[in-house]
Amino acid sequence: MKPSTSKKNPFETLELLSERSGLALAEDLFSFSFVADKLKVLPYSFVKKHALIPLEEVEGILHIAVSDPYNLEAIEEIRYMTGSFVKEHLASLTHIEEAIAYCYGNHGEESSKVIQSLDAPKPNQVSLESEIEYDLLDGESDSVVVQVFNTVLIEAVSIEASDIHFEPVENGLIVRYRVDGVLQEKHTLSKDLLSPLTTRMKVLAQLDIAEHRLPQDGRIRLKMGGRDIDFRISVVPVVYGERIVLRILDKSQISLGLDRIGMGKETLQVMRSHIRKNQGILLVTGPTGSGKTTTLYSALSEIRSPEVNIMTIEDPVEFKLEGMAQIGVNPKIKLTFAAGLRHILRQDPDVVMIGEIRDRETAEIAIQASLTGHLVLTTLHTNDAPSAIARLIDMGVEPYLLSSSLIAVVAQRLVRCICSHCKTSYEPSPMELVDLKMKPTKSLRLYRGVGCSECLSTGYKGRYGIYELMNISKGLKEQILKSADANKIQKIAIEEGMKILRQEGMALALKGITTLEEVIRVTRALDEEVDTPSP
């Protein structure tokens, strides 16, 4: 997938530099043949060092995009290496770094070919050097283990995977990627690679390489071109070795802002009004991987300012955000959510974000904070918004405290989007409509992806959020005091205008953003008794 080139050049500076140097501006680097076809005309270490990229060759003249027009030494080296005349073009450093990452990164089947071409390592090929930070695209290492590891990471980052699973089996090592929330098996490696790969990852994460009996957690920070990428690592001993999962945290891929995460116009308007209140609790619920943290970060990014003291306590801190103080939970030193929250409240915060409410103690402190003039944003693991009330009361929270502190509950899911490159329309079957409680109609046309190289033959590319926003109205407060029955709470909320998750998902399916199958998949766990409206 080509990186976005939506970032505009700082034209005031570039145009002035272009005028002074006499070089023409090159804006869309991906329109040139060498970049579009990922041709590696020059070594990666050279283009990275000098911040330039070959664009095309026309009539024996090699066209090069440079960020520094006065680096004449690099131009002379290119003439010597290629034997061609060189014509320079001026481009921004950001665009050149994006083009380098795209051109020199391995994609799709290329990674499989690279891995298959490598022989199993010999014992003396295993590198134990602690390289805490290095560039993945710098493929000059002679170590087979390093080359395999780098190739897997580059491929995973390139296809925008969220996790990499290294799973030891009896006869080898299976590598799977989680892409758009679904695991896909990509490679089967030699069993001989299991031990050295595990050692490699432990060294980078500064874990104990001699410990094979206990689980370990850590973090790896690497570079890919001009991008800083963090990997959270979890090592767990299993029958055939140690199973390792890497969670990819790529700051360049996160887009913060409530208007960028798929919220509908009405939901967005209500949500923005809630996060600007002076006190109360706003709960975001959903299973692991449903985007709850991104929603909270997006909310905080909209209200942060020099006048607002925002503090967070998370497990762990996934992304470092400017303008707020972030604390990471550390059970080893007894820094729990509850303990950290007590100290946060002594720091005079206006807004507090709690990564997750896991127990009664944390819930009660959060409620007390909201009642004493703080806005509290937090998450909870429940299937839908009404179930959050019952879950908190089951933890031991008093109903009267909950009804007076809670302002809204947001349940959310992520549905996969139909790939725009292989999108096609079709007429749904009666059984599909029955599953969604829709009345059959001959005029109804829906969409799905047939599969192509852009979407790895899945028919889906990217994800979109669906949201269920339940405002805690006077009627719901009275019901909470009477009973925390989730069905009764849901019934009242729907009567007051709440749209359930499946309704939101169906609206996206009717617009051609996602598919019926995807809506059913992500909402299957919900026992929804209301009818889905027909189109």
Side-chain angles (χ1 to χ4, degrees):
M1 177 180 175
K2 294 181 181 178
S4 169
T5 54
S6 58
K7 295 180 182 178
K8 293 185 178 179
N9 290 333
F11 283 112
E12 293 180 358
T13 304
L14 280 180
E15 286 184 351
L16 182 60
L17 193 57
S18 173
E19 184 178 340
R20 288 179 177 177
S21 64
L23 300 183
L25 288 173
E27 297 176 23
D28 185 7
L29 303 185
F30 297 97
S31 65
F32 293 93
S33 60
F34 285 177
V35 179
D37 296 335
K38 300 193 284 287
L39 296 181
K40 304 172 181 64
V41 177
L42 299 172
Y44 171 72
S45 57
F46 181 83
V47 298
K48 177 192 173 187
K49 176 183 177 181
H50 296 289
L52 53 82
I53 184 84
L55 299 176
E56 61 184 0
E57 187 168 1
V58 180
E59 297 180 354
I61 299 176
L62 181 63
H63 293 256
I64 302 285
V66 300
S67 59
D68 180 6
Y70 304 111
N71 188 357
L72 303 180
E73 181 182 346
I75 302 303
E76 287 301 320
E77 286 190 53
I78 294 173
R79 290 195 182 104
Y80 177 78
M81 286 189 288
T82 63
S84 301
F85 293 102
V86 177
K87 181 175 177 60
E88 301 161 77
H89 301 264
L90 188 64
S92 73
L93 178 61
T94 300
H95 283 186
I96 288 177
E97 287 178 343
E98 287 180 348
I100 290 173
Y102 176 73
C103 187
Y104 286 81
N106 291 318
H107 297 68
E109 296 181 358
E110 296 177 27
S111 297
S112 298
K113 292 176 182 177
V114 170
I115 290 173
Q116 290 172 5
S117 68
L118 298 172
D119 295 325
K122 298 176 182 178
N124 61 1
Q125 289 181 296
V126 179
S127 172
L128 295 182
E129 290 185 26
S130 178
E131 299 175 71
I132 303 306
E133 186 171 323
Y134 70 98
D135 197 321
L136 289 173
L137 297 181
D138 190 355
E140 297 181 356
S141 174
D142 293 328
S143 169
V144 174
V145 176
V146 174
Q147 290 183 55
V148 171
F149 182 59
N150 288 5
T151 300
V152 168
L153 295 191
I154 291 168
E155 180 184 38
V157 172
S158 298
I159 64 176
E160 299 179 14
S162 60
D163 303 89
I164 309 172
H165 293 239
F166 295 88
E167 303 175 11
V169 293
E170 186 175 5
N171 299 315
L173 178 65
I174 294 175
V175 180
R176 297 198 291 173
Y177 302 148
R178 188 177 295 280
V179 182
D180 294 333
V182 178
L183 276 174
Q184 301 176 16
E185 185 173 324
K186 295 296 293 183
H187 308 290
T188 300
L189 307 180
S190 168
K191 190 175 182 178
D192 296 331
L193 281 167
L194 174 58
S195 178
L197 269 177
T198 301
T199 300
R200 174 69 175 170
M201 285 184 266
K202 285 184 177 180
V203 167
L204 290 174
Q206 297 182 295
L207 303 180
D208 185 355
I209 63 174
E211 179 57 72
H212 305 288
R213 302 166 300 168
L214 297 174
Q216 298 187 70
D217 296 310
R219 197 162 193 153
I220 301 172
R221 173 171 290 180
L222 302 174
K223 287 183 176 293
M224 183 172 169
R227 298 155 63 183
D228 290 317
I229 302 174
D230 287 350
F231 299 85
R232 268 170 46 195
I233 180 173
S234 172
V235 184
V236 176
V238 293
V239 174
Y240 295 110
E242 291 178 279
R243 189 180 191 276
I244 299 178
V245 175
L246 296 178
R247 175 87 182 275
I248 302 173
L249 303 173
D250 186 358
K251 292 181 181 180
S252 67
Q253 295 300 318
I254 187 170
S255 180
L256 297 181
L258 294 176
D259 57 342
R260 300 178 184 175
I261 58 176
M263 280 191 175
K265 187 176 181 180
E266 293 181 7
T267 304
L268 177 61
Q269 184 177 359
V270 175
M271 186 72 171
R272 280 177 166 162
S273 69
H274 286 321
I275 63 175
R276 284 171 173 77
K277 292 181 178 178
N278 293 326
Q279 64 183 63
I281 296 179
L282 176 64
L283 266 178
V284 180
T285 75
T288 301
S290 60
K292 300 187 298 297
T293 302
T294 300
T295 298
L296 291 183
Y297 280 167
S298 295
L300 294 177
S301 69
E302 292 208 359
I303 60 176
R304 62 182 172 184
S305 72
E307 293 79 28
V308 180
N309 181 14
I310 301 175
M311 300 193 70
T312 79
I313 181 161
E314 309 166 55
D315 184 20
V317 176
E318 293 195 5
F319 294 100
K320 297 176 183 177
L321 304 177
E322 294 182 2
M324 59 191 76
Q326 296 173 271
I327 301 172
V329 167
N330 190 346
K332 293 180 181 178
I333 58 173
K334 297 182 180 181
L335 179 55
T336 62
F337 278 114
L341 190 52
R342 287 195 187 93
H343 289 282
I344 283 177
L345 296 179
R346 297 170 188 159
Q347 293 276 318
D348 187 32
D350 298 300
V351 180
V352 177
M353 192 270 267
I354 307 169
E356 182 186 348
I357 290 182
R358 297 177 178 173
D359 51 45
R360 176 181 176 178
E361 186 180 14
T362 305
E364 288 181 341
I365 297 173
I367 288 173
Q368 291 300 327
S370 69
L371 294 174
T372 53
H374 305 85
L375 177 64
V376 179
L377 308 181
T378 186
T379 72
L380 194 66
H381 284 282
T382 61
N383 282 334
D384 57 11
S387 300
I389 309 295
R391 176 72 185 280
L392 288 170
I393 291 178
D394 286 343
M395 282 184 180
V397 177
E398 294 292 340
Y400 75 91
L401 290 175
L402 199 56
S403 66
S404 57
S405 60
L406 200 59
I407 57 178
V409 182
V410 180
Q412 68 179 76
R413 295 288 190 280
L414 293 175
V415 294
R416 290 180 293 173
C417 299
I418 301 171
C419 175
S420 59
H421 294 86
C422 60
K423 184 176 180 179
T424 184
S425 64
Y426 75 102
E427 185 176 334
S429 67
M431 286 301 298
E432 288 178 302
L433 299 179
V434 168
D435 285 339
L436 292 168
K437 300 179 183 179
M438 293 176 61
K439 295 178 181 179
T441 171
K442 293 182 180 180
S443 61
L444 180 61
R445 301 291 297 178
L446 295 176
Y447 299 86
R448 60 188 172 199
V450 296
C452 64
S453 59
E454 287 288 331
C455 61
L456 306 177
S457 300
T458 63
Y460 297 98
K461 187 67 177 177
R463 289 194 287 178
Y464 205 90
I466 56 174
Y467 301 88
E468 176 180 286
L469 177 58
M470 184 177 75
N471 293 308
I472 307 302
S473 62
K474 183 178 179 181
L476 282 176
K477 289 182 178 181
E478 293 174 354
Q479 177 59 46
I480 293 170
L481 292 173
K482 293 177 184 177
S483 167
D485 186 286
N487 290 329
K488 292 181 180 178
I489 291 174
Q490 184 189 59
K491 185 177 180 181
I492 294 173
I494 291 171
E495 290 174 352
E496 293 179 350
M498 182 186 79
K499 292 183 179 179
I500 61 175
L501 286 167
R502 181 161 287 186
Q503 286 176 317
E504 290 289 301
M506 273 305 306
L508 295 184
L510 295 173
K511 292 177 181 177
I513 295 174
T514 189
T515 64
L516 285 179
E517 294 88 352
E518 184 67 4
V519 174
I520 294 171
R521 182 183 73 86
V522 301
T523 62
R524 186 178 289 122
L526 303 174
D527 184 19
E528 298 167 330
E529 300 178 354
V530 296
D531 292 333
T532 304
S534 299

